[in-house]
Amino acid sequence: MNKVKLLLAALLSVQLLTSCDYSSGTNKESSNRLEGGTIYEEPALSPYNPAIELTFARESDDSLEDLISQLPGETFENNRWIRLYEQVLGIKINYEWIAKGDLYHQKLSGAFASGNIPDVVKVNAQQLRMLSNAGLIQDLSEAYEQYGSSFTREILSQEGTGPFEAATVEGKLMGIPETSSSIEGAMFIWLRTDWLNKVGLEPPKTMDDVLAISKAFTENDPDQNGIHDTFGLAVTQYLFDPVMGLTGFMAGYKAYPNIWMKDASGKLLYGGIQPEVKEALKVLQNMYRDGQIDSEFALKDGLKEEKLIAEGKVGMLYGEQWGSFTVQSSRANEPNAEWQAFPIVSVSGEAPKVPLRFNTSHFFAVRKGYPHPEAIVKLFNLHLEKNWGGTAEYETYYSSPFPVWKLSPVTPFPAMKNLEAYRQIAEAGGNGDHSVLKDEASFIYKNIEISRSGNANKESSWGWERTYGPSGAFSILDQYMKKDQLLYESFVGPPTETMLVKQAILYNLQIDTFINIILGSSIDEFDRFVDDWNKLGGSSTTAEVNQWYAERGSNLK
């Protein structure tokens, strides 16, 4: 036990989110109402009488503090969500402590190491496994089976059973997954189309086209200032960031460096050690040598690299759908800068697979001995119901238009909601009737309308058109799905025993090696990396991952 606690403390000291109308909630409501909420008849939303107390720890940040400052009469401890949970469910939520950043993680580490944790604690997959091994949390299988509403089950399983597999340790559900969206990780090529016109090139259809565009953006003075000061491709030091990362670029070479996938025999293998990655790294090395990538990228995080975009020095990046709001920064200095998302492409010109990492990374665990483990399930039920169910009050509990959903200690959401919002807006545009749009889809369309208008605030809504408009990122994602291009990660289980100890080491080894190769080290360093990766725990991890897949993989949907 002491060793487990010490490992928890060490592990935790290093710490390694929009849109659709779900009006089909099945909750029944009675004629009785409380201020701020409905009383529901079904057990999944039935109130405790007398009320119970449920303690949490809460991580704060600047955005949350700014939000609360704009909501008079609301605090972390007393706000519309806290009151709703007590009024409807009879659950009084109290925070044992609230802290920001490093202080939060330090306090959480101390709580885990001492075994003195709140009634409910939000954890990542590694922490969940460690807490389970230490016997500090309880099995929630029965609580979810008995109290998970049909609507909650529908929402949390939109991308399959993976989130629950990730929360299952030795056959027991040790946490309720706060599902995130894997599909949101789909990559697009974001291009400055005004630069594309200036250099006389067309949107890319192959990786050769991508390389030609990068070269032209670097050498052909696309900003027309007479100075050699532009770059073809934005990259950050983390390599696989959701925006300005290399995941989409490498996929063009059938390289998937950060997911576990199936080989031809049905076994799982790690994409980061496959020969296709070596080919992609060699291309990136040549691009760096030719000045197409910022010479200081290895020292820059996303915020620092974004400055180059804002300064009009970069014309292409790979990124997720929200990349529109990153590239928009260039328009402050250059109002005529135009960007558009395009599908990722392959060497051959065939439609490439679009890799999607398993994205659910947080879970809510309940302290061993707490007498009402089903309370966390009821919170999930009500949060989903009031935002997307049959009794949803979107403008009260989700966007007022402030993002008031953040006030809740639990924030589950439908994985497909952004794509569904695009589809609703596209359908409404097709028949010319946008009055049928509700809630989030309506909110998004209003922003698109502003971006198309002469409104003085139209610039603030520019990104919405590029993400949700007819030629936006989600129109491409819709095609990815229809063409069966999405490649979901195959390993979705809890961290294996070797992962708990070696995952950070292996990850750092991979990033360091890849960066060094891009900077100019021999491409043969990749082969040495593969050997070291296997020796330092990769081989054991692969065996454990395949054991899990043999036992649980066939159950995945």
Side-chain angles (χ1 to χ4, degrees), residues 167-212:
T168 299
V169 181
E170 297 180 355
K172 299 176 181 179
L173 183 66
M174 302 307 297
I176 304 301
E178 189 170 64
T179 53
S180 190
S181 176
S182 293
I183 199 172
E184 292 289 333
M187 287 288 153
F188 312 92
I189 306 175
W190 290 93
L191 277 172
R192 272 198 67 162
T193 53
D194 59 317
W195 280 16
L196 205 59
N197 292 333
K198 288 175 181 177
V199 299
L201 294 175
E202 297 293 324
K205 295 182 179 179
T206 69
M207 286 304 298
D208 283 345
D209 295 337
V210 169
L211 301 183

Coordinates of all heavy atoms in Angstrom, one line a residue, residues 167-212:
A167 N -12.3 2.6 -18.4 CA -12.6 2.7 -16.9 C -12.8 1.4 -16.2 O -13.1 1.4 -15.0 CB -13.9 3.6 -16.7
T168 N -12.6 0.3 -16.9 CA -12.8 -1.0 -16.3 C -11.4 -1.6 -15.9 O -10.6 -1.8 -16.8 CB -13.5 -1.9 -17.3 OG1 -14.8 -1.4 -17.6 CG2 -13.7 -3.3 -16.7
V169 N -11.3 -1.9 -14.7 CA -10.1 -2.6 -14.1 C -10.5 -3.9 -13.5 O -11.3 -4.0 -12.6 CB -9.5 -1.7 -13.0 CG1 -8.2 -2.3 -12.5 CG2 -9.2 -0.3 -13.6
E170 N -9.9 -5.0 -14.1 CA -10.2 -6.3 -13.6 C -11.7 -6.6 -13.6 O -12.2 -7.2 -12.6 CB -9.5 -6.5 -12.3 CG -8.0 -6.4 -12.3 CD -7.4 -6.7 -10.9 OE1 -8.1 -6.8 -9.9 OE2 -6.1 -6.7 -10.9
G171 N -12.3 -6.2 -14.7 CA -13.8 -6.5 -14.8 C -14.7 -5.6 -14.1 O -15.9 -5.8 -14.1
K172 N -14.2 -4.6 -13.4 CA -15.0 -3.7 -12.6 C -15.0 -2.3 -13.1 O -13.9 -1.8 -13.4 CB -14.6 -3.7 -11.1 CG -14.6 -5.1 -10.4 CD -14.1 -5.0 -9.0 CE -14.1 -6.4 -8.3 NZ -13.5 -6.3 -6.9
L173 N -16.1 -1.7 -13.2 CA -16.2 -0.3 -13.6 C -15.8 0.6 -12.5 O -16.6 0.9 -11.6 CB -17.6 0.1 -14.1 CG -17.8 1.5 -14.7 CD1 -17.0 1.7 -16.0 CD2 -19.3 1.8 -14.9
M174 N -14.6 1.2 -12.5 CA -14.0 1.9 -11.4 C -14.2 3.4 -11.6 O -13.9 4.2 -10.7 CB -12.6 1.6 -11.2 CG -12.3 0.1 -11.0 SD -13.2 -0.6 -9.6 CE -12.6 0.4 -8.2
G175 N -14.8 3.9 -12.7 CA -15.1 5.3 -12.8 C -16.1 5.5 -13.9 O -16.3 4.7 -14.8
I176 N -16.8 6.6 -13.8 CA -17.8 7.0 -14.9 C -17.1 7.9 -15.9 O -16.5 8.9 -15.5 CB -19.0 7.7 -14.3 CG1 -19.7 6.9 -13.2 CG2 -20.0 8.0 -15.4 CD1 -20.2 5.5 -13.7
P177 N -17.0 7.5 -17.1 CA -16.2 8.3 -18.1 C -16.8 9.6 -18.5 O -18.0 9.6 -18.8 CB -16.1 7.3 -19.3 CG -17.3 6.4 -19.2 CD -17.5 6.3 -17.7
E178 N -16.1 10.6 -18.4 CA -16.6 11.9 -18.9 C -16.1 11.9 -20.4 O -15.1 12.4 -20.7 CB -16.0 13.1 -18.2 CG -16.6 14.4 -18.6 CD -16.2 15.6 -17.7 OE1 -15.1 15.9 -17.7 OE2 -17.1 16.1 -17.0
T179 N -17.0 11.3 -21.2 CA -16.6 11.0 -22.6 C -16.2 12.2 -23.3 O -16.8 13.3 -23.2 CB -17.7 10.3 -23.3 OG1 -18.9 11.0 -23.2 CG2 -18.0 8.9 -22.8
S180 N -15.1 12.1 -24.1 CA -14.7 13.2 -25.0 C -14.9 12.6 -26.4 O -15.2 11.4 -26.6 CB -13.3 13.6 -24.7 OG -13.0 14.8 -25.4
S181 N -14.7 13.4 -27.4 CA -15.0 13.0 -28.8 C -13.7 12.7 -29.5 O -12.9 13.5 -29.8 CB -15.7 14.2 -29.5 OG -16.0 13.8 -30.9
S182 N -13.6 11.4 -29.9 CA -12.5 11.0 -30.8 C -12.6 11.7 -32.2 O -11.6 12.1 -32.8 CB -12.4 9.5 -30.9 OG -12.1 8.9 -29.7
I183 N -13.8 11.7 -32.7 CA -14.0 12.3 -34.0 C -13.6 13.7 -34.1 O -13.2 14.2 -35.2 CB -15.5 12.1 -34.4 CG1 -15.7 12.2 -36.0 CG2 -16.4 13.1 -33.8 CD1 -17.0 11.8 -36.5
E184 N -13.6 14.4 -33.0 CA -13.2 15.8 -33.0 C -11.7 15.9 -33.3 O -11.1 17.0 -33.6 CB -13.5 16.5 -31.7 CG -14.9 16.7 -31.4 CD -15.6 17.7 -32.3 OE1 -14.9 18.7 -32.7 OE2 -16.8 17.6 -32.5
G185 N -10.9 14.8 -33.2 CA -9.5 14.8 -33.5 C -9.2 14.7 -34.9 O -8.0 14.6 -35.3
A186 N -10.2 14.6 -35.8 CA -9.9 14.5 -37.3 C -9.1 15.7 -37.7 O -9.3 16.9 -37.3 CB -11.2 14.4 -38.0
M187 N -8.2 15.5 -38.6 CA -7.3 16.5 -39.1 C -7.6 17.1 -40.5 O -8.2 16.3 -41.3 CB -5.8 15.9 -39.2 CG -5.2 15.7 -37.9 SD -4.7 17.3 -37.1 CE -4.8 16.9 -35.4
F188 N -7.3 18.3 -40.7 CA -7.5 19.0 -41.9 C -6.3 19.8 -42.3 O -5.5 20.1 -41.4 CB -8.7 20.0 -41.8 CG -10.0 19.4 -41.2 CD1 -10.2 19.4 -39.8 CD2 -10.9 18.7 -42.0 CE1 -11.3 18.8 -39.2 CE2 -12.0 18.1 -41.4 CZ -12.2 18.1 -40.0
I189 N -6.1 20.2 -43.5 CA -5.1 21.1 -43.9 C -5.7 22.5 -44.0 O -6.6 22.8 -44.7 CB -4.5 20.8 -45.3 CG1 -4.1 19.3 -45.4 CG2 -3.4 21.7 -45.7 CD1 -3.6 18.9 -46.8
W190 N -5.1 23.4 -43.1 CA -5.6 24.8 -43.2 C -4.6 25.6 -44.0 O -3.4 25.6 -43.7 CB -5.6 25.3 -41.7 CG -6.7 24.8 -40.9 CD1 -6.7 23.7 -40.1 CD2 -8.1 25.2 -40.9 NE1 -7.9 23.4 -39.6 CE2 -8.8 24.3 -40.0 CE3 -8.8 26.3 -41.5 CZ2 -10.2 24.5 -39.8 CZ3 -10.1 26.4 -41.3 CH2 -10.8 25.6 -40.4
L191 N -5.1 26.2 -45.1 CA -4.3 26.9 -46.1 C -4.7 28.4 -46.2 O -5.9 28.7 -46.2 CB -4.4 26.2 -47.4 CG -3.6 25.0 -47.7 CD1 -4.0 24.4 -49.0 CD2 -2.1 25.4 -47.8
R192 N -3.7 29.3 -46.3 CA -4.0 30.6 -46.7 C -4.2 30.7 -48.2 O -3.3 30.6 -49.0 CB -2.8 31.5 -46.4 CG -2.8 32.1 -45.0 CD -1.9 33.3 -44.8 NE -2.4 34.5 -45.5 CZ -2.0 35.7 -45.3 NH1 -1.1 35.9 -44.3 NH2 -2.4 36.7 -46.0
T193 N -5.5 30.8 -48.5 CA -5.9 30.7 -50.0 C -5.5 32.0 -50.7 O -5.3 31.9 -51.9 CB -7.4 30.5 -50.1 OG1 -8.1 31.5 -49.3 CG2 -7.8 29.1 -49.6
D194 N -5.3 33.1 -50.0 CA -4.8 34.3 -50.7 C -3.4 34.1 -51.1 O -3.0 34.5 -52.2 CB -5.0 35.6 -49.9 CG -4.3 35.5 -48.5 OD1 -4.3 34.4 -47.9 OD2 -3.7 36.5 -48.1
W195 N -2.6 33.4 -50.3 CA -1.2 33.1 -50.7 C -1.2 32.1 -51.8 O -0.4 32.2 -52.7 CB -0.5 32.5 -49.5 CG 0.0 33.5 -48.5 CD1 -0.3 34.8 -48.4 CD2 1.1 33.3 -47.5 NE1 0.4 35.5 -47.4 CE2 1.2 34.5 -46.8 CE3 1.8 32.2 -47.1 CZ2 2.1 34.7 -45.8 CZ3 2.7 32.3 -46.1 CH2 2.9 33.6 -45.4
L196 N -2.1 31.1 -51.7 CA -2.2 30.1 -52.8 C -2.4 30.7 -54.1 O -1.8 30.4 -55.1 CB -3.3 29.1 -52.4 CG -3.3 27.7 -53.0 CD1 -2.0 27.0 -52.5 CD2 -4.5 26.9 -52.6
N197 N -3.3 31.7 -54.2 CA -3.5 32.5 -55.4 C -2.3 33.2 -55.9 O -2.0 33.3 -57.1 CB -4.7 33.4 -55.2 CG -6.0 32.7 -55.1 OD1 -6.2 31.6 -55.5 ND2 -7.0 33.3 -54.3
K198 N -1.6 33.8 -54.9 CA -0.4 34.6 -55.3 C 0.7 33.8 -55.9 O 1.5 34.3 -56.7 CB 0.1 35.4 -54.0 CG -0.9 36.6 -53.7 CD -0.4 37.2 -52.4 CE -1.4 38.3 -52.0 NZ -1.0 39.0 -50.7
V199 N 0.8 32.6 -55.4 CA 1.9 31.7 -55.9 C 1.4 30.9 -57.1 O 2.2 30.0 -57.6 CB 2.5 30.8 -54.8 CG1 3.1 31.7 -53.7 CG2 1.5 29.8 -54.2
G200 N 0.2 31.0 -57.4 CA -0.4 30.3 -58.6 C -0.5 28.8 -58.5 O -0.3 28.1 -59.5
L201 N -0.9 28.4 -57.3 CA -1.1 26.9 -57.1 C -2.5 26.6 -56.7 O -3.3 27.5 -56.3 CB -0.1 26.4 -56.0 CG 1.3 26.5 -56.4 CD1 2.2 26.0 -55.2 CD2 1.7 25.6 -57.6
E202 N -2.9 25.3 -56.9 CA -4.2 24.8 -56.6 C -4.2 24.1 -55.2 O -3.1 23.7 -54.8 CB -4.7 23.9 -57.7 CG -4.9 24.5 -59.1 CD -6.0 25.5 -59.1 OE1 -7.0 25.3 -58.4 OE2 -5.8 26.5 -59.8
P203 N -5.3 23.9 -54.6 CA -5.4 23.1 -53.4 C -4.8 21.7 -53.6 O -4.9 21.2 -54.7 CB -6.9 23.1 -53.0 CG -7.5 24.3 -53.7 CD -6.7 24.5 -55.0
P204 N -4.2 21.2 -52.6 CA -3.5 19.9 -52.8 C -4.4 18.7 -53.0 O -5.4 18.6 -52.4 CB -2.7 19.7 -51.4 CG -3.5 20.5 -50.4 CD -4.1 21.6 -51.2
K205 N -3.9 17.8 -53.8 CA -4.6 16.5 -54.1 C -3.6 15.3 -53.7 O -4.1 14.2 -53.5 CB -5.0 16.4 -55.5 CG -6.0 17.4 -55.9 CD -6.5 17.2 -57.4 CE -7.5 18.2 -57.8 NZ -7.9 18.1 -59.2
T206 N -2.4 15.6 -53.6 CA -1.4 14.6 -53.2 C -0.4 15.2 -52.2 O -0.3 16.5 -52.1 CB -0.6 14.0 -54.4 OG1 0.3 15.0 -54.9 CG2 -1.6 13.5 -55.5
M207 N 0.5 14.4 -51.6 CA 1.5 14.9 -50.7 C 2.5 15.7 -51.5 O 3.1 16.7 -51.0 CB 2.2 13.8 -49.9 CG 1.3 13.3 -48.8 SD 0.8 14.5 -47.6 CE 2.3 15.1 -46.9
D208 N 2.8 15.4 -52.8 CA 3.7 16.2 -53.6 C 3.1 17.6 -53.7 O 3.9 18.5 -53.8 CB 3.8 15.5 -55.0 CG 4.8 14.3 -54.9 OD1 5.5 14.2 -54.0 OD2 4.7 13.5 -55.9
D209 N 1.8 17.7 -53.8 CA 1.2 19.0 -53.9 C 1.4 19.8 -52.6 O 1.7 21.0 -52.6 CB -0.3 18.9 -54.2 CG -0.6 18.3 -55.5 OD1 0.2 18.4 -56.4 OD2 -1.7 17.8 -55.7
V210 N 1.3 19.1 -51.5 CA 1.6 19.8 -50.2 C 3.0 20.3 -50.1 O 3.2 21.4 -49.7 CB 1.3 18.8 -49.0 CG1 1.8 19.3 -47.7 CG2 -0.2 18.5 -48.9
L211 N 3.9 19.5 -50.6 CA 5.3 19.9 -50.5 C 5.6 21.0 -51.5 O 6.4 21.9 -51.2 CB 6.2 18.7 -50.9 CG 6.1 17.5 -50.0 CD1 7.1 16.4 -50.4 CD2 6.3 17.9 -48.5
A212 N 4.9 21.0 -52.6 CA 5.1 22.1 -53.6 C 4.5 23.4 -53.0 O 5.1 24.5 -53.2 CB 4.4 21.8 -54.9

